[in-house]
Amino acid sequence: MAGRLMRAVVYEGYGGGAAKLKHVEVPIPPPKKDEVLLKMEATSVNPFDWTIQTGRMRPILPFKFPYIPGIDAAAEVIEVGEGVQNLKAGDKVVSVLSFGGGGGFSEYAVASKALTVKRPPEVSAAEGVGLPIAGGVGHYAVQLAKLGNAHVTVTCGARNADFLKSLGADEILDYNTAEGAAHKSPSGKTYDYVIHCATGIPFSTFEPNLSKNGKVIDLTPGPRTMLNFVFQNENLEYLIGLVKQGKLKTIMDSKYPLDKAEEAWAKSIEGHATGKIIVEH
């Protein structure tokens, strides 16, 4: 496919939000050694994506401008590079694209074979693409914790209370109340684990509510989370298996076509999505 062009969405510098996204045509990237070329079916918009655009990740990310955002990928393998034996053309996959290079907001993208797993026919592109990167992570965390027979307390706005109860949450804290802002369990329980995925909340808020060996797992978008991110194929394969079995659901807030990617971007920045924001190709 050398020399052919593809549609893509890029931004050319820091800042500007959705207004600075541009629709362009760029060359289709060739797969290098240990890489696969993907025909994109869907990507998702995560807070991590537009955090890169704000400049909070500089000088680490992005590697260069113009930058094609999008880290999550659900796609079909079109071509494999040298050294790829576990994947072949025609395979449906879910992948984590390069943090530095991105590529999800384009018709084609390259991915490392080590960051790509096969997707069974029972799992749609939209269901699969929500799994790799934290964004809308809360609804997954509730379901996974309940699969592990944990007692789950969730903080959210009042509008999402019934939704989270339907996923299995045992207790709901409205973060607009004094009790919710303090993150104290209504039943007086302390927390063994806190999945921290909302910005602007200091550790000191959680500390009084932790059990003796309690831990805070910080998934808020930023340099620390990126540096601590370790992708393991077996973890993603496990999650895809749960979706296939109907034990884990990807809750979708909304879907947008690639030519309306800026609307999806703006929706994510607003911060009121319930579930994943999907961009379909």
Side-chain angles (χ1 to χ4, degrees), residues 258-279:
L258 184 62
D259 60 7
K260 293 186 177 179
E262 55 270 39
E263 294 182 20
W265 200 262
K267 174 74 172 179
S268 182
I269 291 174
E270 286 173 6
H272 297 295
T274 300
K276 301 293 291 191
I277 299 171
I278 307 295
V279 175

Side-chain angles (χ1 to χ4, degrees), residues 214-271:
K215 294 178 174 60
V216 176
I217 301 171
D218 188 357
L219 298 180
T220 55
R224 179 183 301 176
T225 303
M226 189 278 291
L227 291 172
N228 289 334
F229 177 81
V230 178
F231 178 86
Q232 294 180 314
N233 273 9
E234 56 266 31
N235 290 346
L236 184 53
E237 289 172 344
Y238 175 72
L239 294 177
I240 289 174
L242 290 178
V243 175
K244 177 182 176 180
Q245 297 167 43
K247 295 179 179 180
L248 182 67
K249 299 177 183 178
T250 295
I251 307 300
M252 298 171 218
D253 176 272
S254 48
K255 296 180 181 179
Y256 298 85
L258 184 62
D259 60 7
K260 293 186 177 179
E262 55 270 39
E263 294 182 20
W265 200 262
K267 174 74 172 179
S268 182
I269 291 174
E270 286 173 6

